[in-house]
Amino acid sequence: GTYRTSDGRGGCDGARIRFDPENSWGDNAGLNEMLELLKPIKTRHGAALSWGDLIVLAGSTAIESMGGPKIGFCGGRVDDVDGSESLPLEDSAPGMNHLIYVDAGNATGQDVREAFAKMDFGDRETVALVAGGHTFGKCHSSRSGFEGQWTHTPTRWSNSYLQNLLNLDWELVDSPAGNGKKQYNHTSGLMMLVADFEMKEDPTYRGFMEEYLNDGDLLKADFGRAWEKLMNRDMGNRPCLGEEVATPALTVDYVEVKKAVKEMLRNDRRATDFNHYGPLFVRFAWHCAGTFRGTDYRGGCDGARILHAPEKDWPDNDGLVVGDDEPQQELAKALLQPIKDHFGDGLSWADLIILAGSAALEDMGGREVRICPGRSDVSAEDAAAGSMYLDPTIYLNPENATASDLKRSMRIMNFTAREMTVLNGGGHAIGKAHKSKSGFEGPWTHTPTIFSN
């Protein structure tokens, strides 16, 4: 539940809940007991079973054993050695870092909506998750500050949570923990949280609650889908452990593709880029691949989403696929179009963009770049969905970004400080900044078409 779309951080991959800061968050009170219960299983299977996979599998198995929906499992999480990657998650409002979602004793329906939207959940999915999740278990005053259970059958799947919330009479009382928090109690001994009630009062949430109240099978199915999404959101596009990944059938001679790119590099007749297309093609490849997030495996050049909205229209990508100042024939995509046409459907745009950037670097004096083909192209619809949460600035604002900002940005892409340094040093050894695109003007070196130190 810590996953967030803004930078792909969080989630159970890494199993950082074992370490501080997550281990000390108030909302995680008591979960060390769960880790102790699972420890014999972890010990039995050793390194072959990660804590991240075990925690997710244990939760899903528990749901199934209590009569809930069948939950699909996607293994392959890798455990972190400490909790340092969770430190960026502690950016909530003062005093709120201990919360996974919201302050359940003081949250409005809109608070719930905003918290779940950060994880890419819509209103229907949120209701399904809450209604299904509150079917089970109870609150403990020693942990959450609230006391009681939502249903009379807290270890068995049912539609009782919604039946109770929507149909029973409730009284707002002080929590028995004596901590000043409020909760709703029923004379039968059940309880509801303020957040439960506020969701009920929200017209959109209320509509979905009533729909699920009248169709328990739909709730069960939707809860199962939402739970799978919650568990696997941080896995991104990675294949699950043991999943067979089809090897692409390569029908193109990629050495010839690279040769074709190199043959055209010095045919540049523009007056803006030193009569060499190399810097433009490097930028095309950089901006296509530079959206990748190692935090949740979104982005990257596979799919060639840079050819479609929204990426093609990002200001940082001006002059690559569309442009305000250049003639159409001088755009990076248009320049590569004859090569794409010559090699046909067997050559994806994604591979061509990367090969063009690599060929340009080699031609300008860089080392030979290994060819790793096999990328595919996606439709405009899939591109829009895949680019939804990526950063339109590609990396950061070059005018006011600090070294710390750059480190955070590169860390999201899984680059070390050394790799970050050589990427920037090498990338800025060639080409120039254009006032009409970035707001800056001029080259970084006196030899912008020769790779140098």
Side-chain angles (χ1 to χ4, degrees):
T2 57
Y3 174 81
R4 60 189 189 184
T5 59
S6 59
D7 57 11
R9 294 187 184 275
C12 203
D13 189 24
R16 291 176 297 275
I17 198 170
R18 297 169 296 144
F19 309 111
D20 286 337
E22 289 189 41
N23 192 258
S24 298
W25 289 349
D27 270 9
N28 290 336
L31 293 183
N32 281 334
E33 298 174 19
M34 179 275 297
L35 293 173
E36 288 298 318
L37 288 171
L38 293 176
K39 187 175 289 185
I41 300 176
K42 178 68 174 77
T43 301
R44 188 182 317 141
H45 294 277
L49 174 64
S50 69
W51 270 110
D53 279 349
L54 177 56
I55 292 168
V56 168
L57 186 58
S60 298
T61 301
I63 289 172
E64 294 177 2
S65 70
M66 291 185 288
K70 184 74 174 176
I71 307 294
F73 175 68
C74 180
R77 295 164 185 81
V78 179
D79 293 338
D80 287 0
V81 297
D82 57 37
S84 58
E85 288 298 313
S86 295
L87 291 173
L89 299 176
E90 294 202 306
D91 60 359
S92 304
M96 301 291 282
N97 283 330
H98 66 288
L99 301 174
I100 300 299
Y101 302 118
V102 296
D103 180 353
N106 193 36
T108 66
Q110 186 60 27
D111 291 335
V112 175
R113 177 172 289 109
E114 292 174 1
F116 278 81
K118 292 177 181 177
M119 300 186 296
D120 194 30
F121 282 93
D123 288 346
R124 175 183 287 277
E125 293 171 314
T126 301
V127 172
L129 269 177
V130 172
H134 289 182
T135 296
F136 305 120
K138 61 171 288 188
C139 290
H140 303 79
S141 59
S142 61
R143 297 173 185 174
S144 65
F146 308 102
E147 185 64 40
Q149 56 202 54
W150 292 273
T151 76
H152 290 295
T153 55
T155 60
R156 189 171 72 245
W157 173 267
S158 71
N159 209 1
S160 297
Y161 166 77
L162 291 175
Q163 294 169 358
N164 297 338
L165 177 62
L166 299 181
N167 296 330
L168 297 183
D169 294 324
W170 298 90
E171 179 184 6
L172 184 64
V173 300
D174 291 327
S175 166
N179 51 18
K181 293 187 176 184
K182 298 285 188 179
Q183 65 181 61
Y184 285 89
N185 282 358
H186 185 259
T187 54
S188 65
L190 298 177
M191 61 80 66
M192 290 285 166
L193 299 167
V194 170
D196 294 315
F197 252 71
E198 289 294 319
M199 288 184 67
K200 181 180 73 169
E201 297 303 315
D202 182 279
T204 303
Y205 284 154
R206 178 66 179 249
F208 290 128
M209 286 180 175
E210 291 179 348
E211 181 179 358
Y212 287 140
L213 177 65
N214 295 318
D215 192 340
D217 290 338
L218 179 62
L219 171 61
K220 189 173 184 177
D222 283 359
F223 171 71
R225 283 188 286 268
W227 178 266
E228 282 188 26
K229 179 177 177 179
L230 179 69
M231 294 298 104
N232 299 330
R233 194 67 180 76
D234 61 335
M235 296 290 284
N237 296 320
R238 279 182 293 177
C240 301
L241 186 66
E243 189 174 84
E244 291 289 336
V245 179
T247 302
L250 304 180
T251 60
V252 170
D253 186 336
Y254 291 94
V255 173
E256 288 299 311
V257 175
K258 186 180 282 191
K259 180 181 177 182
V261 172
K262 289 183 178 180
E263 287 175 350
M264 67 169 294
L265 288 175
R266 300 177 187 275
N267 295 332
D268 186 3
R269 297 294 178 263
R270 299 172 301 161
T272 57
D273 271 11
F274 322 105
N275 301 119
H276 198 295
Y277 288 128
L280 177 64
F281 290 163
V282 170
R283 178 170 170 254
F284 200 10
W286 182 296
H287 285 221
C288 187
T291 57
F292 175 76
R293 305 194 312 196
T295 48
D296 62 354
Y297 291 80
R298 293 178 74 93
C301 202
D302 189 23
R305 289 178 297 276
I306 199 171
L307 304 183
H308 305 286
E311 289 190 35
K312 72 179 180 66
D313 300 314
W314 289 349
D316 273 15
N317 289 337
D318 182 46
L320 299 178
V321 180
V322 297
D324 297 327
D325 303 309
E326 300 87 352
Q328 177 66 33
Q329 66 270 19
E330 293 184 0
L331 299 172
K333 178 178 183 290
L335 291 168
L336 292 174
Q337 187 70 57
I339 297 177
K340 177 70 172 73
D341 293 341
H342 175 76
F343 287 94
D345 293 339
L347 174 63
S348 69
W349 269 109
D351 276 344
L352 176 56
I353 292 168
I354 296 299
L355 278 170
S358 300
L361 282 173
E362 293 175 8
D363 188 75
M364 291 185 288
R367 59 166 289 181
E368 182 177 357
V369 181
R370 182 174 63 91
I371 298 174
C372 182
R375 298 169 188 82
S376 60
D377 301 332
V378 299
S379 66
E381 182 181 2
D382 288 340
S387 303
M388 186 180 301
Y389 297 113
L390 303 179
D391 186 358
T393 60
I394 307 297
Y395 301 113
L396 38 74
N397 185 336
E399 184 174 13
N400 54 29
T402 65
S404 295
D405 294 333
L406 184 57
K407 287 178 181 178
R408 281 194 294 271
S409 176
M410 288 293 180
R411 184 71 188 119
I412 291 171
M413 298 171 64
N414 274 358
F415 285 113
T416 65
R418 177 180 289 274
E419 291 170 328
M420 171 193 73
T421 302
V422 297
L423 268 177
N424 278 276
H428 288 175
I430 57 176
K432 61 174 285 188
H434 301 78
K435 182 172 61 177
S436 61
K437 297 177 174 61
S438 64
F440 307 98
E441 182 66 35
W444 291 272
T445 75
H446 291 296
T447 55
T449 60
I450 301 175
F451 191 87
S452 70
N453 201 15

